[in-house]
Amino acid sequence: MEKIRKKKSMKSMKRQESITYLLFMAPAVIAFALVEIVPFFQGLYYSFTDWTGLPSNPIHWVGIQNYIDAFTDSRFQYSFLITLIFALANFVLVNVVSFSLAMLVSSKLKGKNIYRAGFFVPNLIGGLVLGYIWQFIFNNVVVSLPFYNGLSLLANPNTALVGLVIVSNWQYAGYIMMIYFTALQGVPKELGESAELDGCNGWQKLWKVTIPNIMSTLTVTLFLTLSNSFKQYDVVLSLTNGGPSRMWQGAAINGTELVSLNIVKTASTDNLMALGQAKAVIFFVFLVVITLIQTSITRRKEIES
């Protein structure tokens, strides 16, 4: 009888604990559902309609017409192309720069704590403010340098994209650097010393010892930089606002209008809410696929290392 009572009391305690956990989780789950899940499914529904955003206008089902219009929109096609180029360049450079900075501040460099803080500070500046600051630098400071002879980087769509990569790296590299720096502190020094005794040079030690020991961190940093590169919006808005113009398939379009900015302008400026929502769904699916591929590859590397 005593054992039965103990079992009942244990079950009762577990039930109470479960109820307590659910009660504590409920506010966060409800908030997440209201902010993320419900709007997502609403948007998915609206993408198959002629929704205008105005409550006075009736909503009619149009099927996949918005998706057909999105895929055949030359402006959206160009935005995807330019976003792929920007994301690839930004993805590589941010990780190379941030890892190099992490290695630098992990060394025996004097004043490394000051450098660490200095490299991280740009990440604290909001994207909109950052864009306006760098717009002033490119248009007024850089062009006045004695060795610089030419227009502002932002005056040409090709060089404007380079300017976007520079600004994005300047802002985001310090944040990723801190993640790499934390991971590097967890690499056992004995492994590096053993590698040196075995005759490994610095490059070999980096590839054979350091990187395999921080693969789990690489999975996180690569995911963050990849998703951030594709979703870049605020810096683009304030730095170039999608400009300058260029010719594409016989029409003048914005030369640096990345996908996120194209979606917002389609919905707000062009007042095509349903089409903008369809583009957002396409972009969401694309991001999910890309990030799943990236995380599966890096996780496989984790297991191998």
Side-chain angles (χ1 to χ4, degrees):
M1 289 294 292
E2 187 66 27
K3 287 183 179 180
I4 294 172
R5 286 177 184 173
K6 284 183 178 180
K7 284 184 179 179
K8 286 183 177 180
S9 63
M10 288 293 291
K11 286 183 179 179
S12 178
M13 287 177 63
K14 286 182 179 180
R15 192 179 298 110
Q16 289 178 357
E17 286 179 357
S18 299
I19 293 171
T20 304
Y21 292 150
L22 290 172
L23 288 173
F24 274 104
M25 288 175 61
V29 171
I30 292 170
F32 180 77
L34 291 175
V35 176
E36 298 287 343
I37 298 175
V38 173
F40 173 78
F41 284 104
Q42 278 185 325
L44 187 62
Y45 165 71
Y46 287 141
S47 69
F48 293 100
T49 67
D50 61 353
W51 177 58
T52 62
L54 299 174
S56 57
N57 291 353
I59 298 174
H60 302 100
W61 185 264
V62 297
I64 62 170
Q65 186 58 49
N66 288 320
Y67 291 92
I68 295 172
D69 293 342
F71 281 115
T72 55
D73 182 3
S74 60
R75 186 174 138 203
F76 187 56
Q77 293 170 2
Y78 175 81
S79 291
F80 242 107
L81 175 62
I82 204 72
T83 301
L84 284 170
I85 296 170
F86 168 80
L88 179 61
N90 196 57
F91 172 73
V92 173
L93 284 175
V94 166
N95 280 285
V96 170
V97 171
S98 57
F99 186 78
S100 302
L101 294 176
M103 293 290 288
L104 179 68
V105 297
S106 299
S107 64
K108 296 179 180 179
L109 180 71
K110 288 185 179 180
K112 58 185 178 182
N113 291 333
I114 297 174
Y115 288 115
R116 196 186 310 157
F119 294 144
F120 182 76
V121 164
N123 186 253
L124 302 177
I125 304 174
L128 287 174
V129 176
L130 193 72
Y132 288 125
I133 291 172
W134 276 92
Q135 187 183 94
F136 174 82
I137 293 172
F138 285 136
N139 292 339
N140 298 278
V141 178
V142 175
V143 294
S144 64
L145 295 174
F147 57 83
Y148 186 86
N149 185 22
L151 296 173
S152 167
L153 282 176
L154 307 181
N156 182 291
N158 295 324
T159 55
L161 192 68
V162 175
L164 282 173
V165 174
I166 292 171
V167 176
S168 182
N169 271 263
W170 190 79
Q171 179 191 31
Y172 204 56
Y175 173 71
I176 301 299
M177 175 205 70
M178 294 301 295
I179 301 175
Y180 279 130
F181 172 77
T182 304
L184 289 172
Q185 303 311 298
V187 178
K189 293 182 180 180
E190 296 80 8
L191 293 177
E193 293 170 355
S194 299
E196 290 176 358
L197 290 173
D198 289 339
C200 291
N201 56 34
W203 188 252
Q204 290 172 327
K205 189 170 71 171
L206 174 67
W207 283 102
K208 299 295 184 181
V209 177
T210 305
I211 291 180
N213 278 278
I214 62 168
M215 276 307 301
S216 58
T217 301
L218 273 170
T219 300
V220 175
T221 54
L222 294 179
F223 171 79
L224 289 174
T225 50
L226 187 65
S227 58
N228 180 73
S229 297
F230 277 107
K231 295 186 296 183
Q232 193 68 250
Y233 171 74
D234 49 358
V235 171
V236 184
L237 179 66
S238 57
L239 186 65
T240 66
N241 195 26
S245 298
R246 77 179 313 158
M247 296 301 294
W248 172 261
Q249 295 183 358
I253 59 172
N254 290 326
T256 60
E257 188 179 81
L258 302 188
V259 172
S260 54
L261 184 60
N262 177 269
I263 291 170
V264 173
K265 285 192 172 185
T266 299
S268 58
T269 306
D270 301 339
N271 200 28
L272 299 171
M273 293 289 186
L275 178 60
Q277 189 59 55
K279 289 181 177 181
V281 172
I282 294 169
F283 191 39
F284 170 78
V285 173
F286 173 79
L287 277 179
V288 169
V289 172
I290 289 293
T291 51
L292 282 176
I293 292 172
Q294 175 263 308
T295 51
S296 64
I297 292 172
T298 50
R299 285 190 183 279
R300 198 177 304 125
K301 294 291 183 181
E302 285 181 43
I303 296 169
E304 292 174 1
S305 61

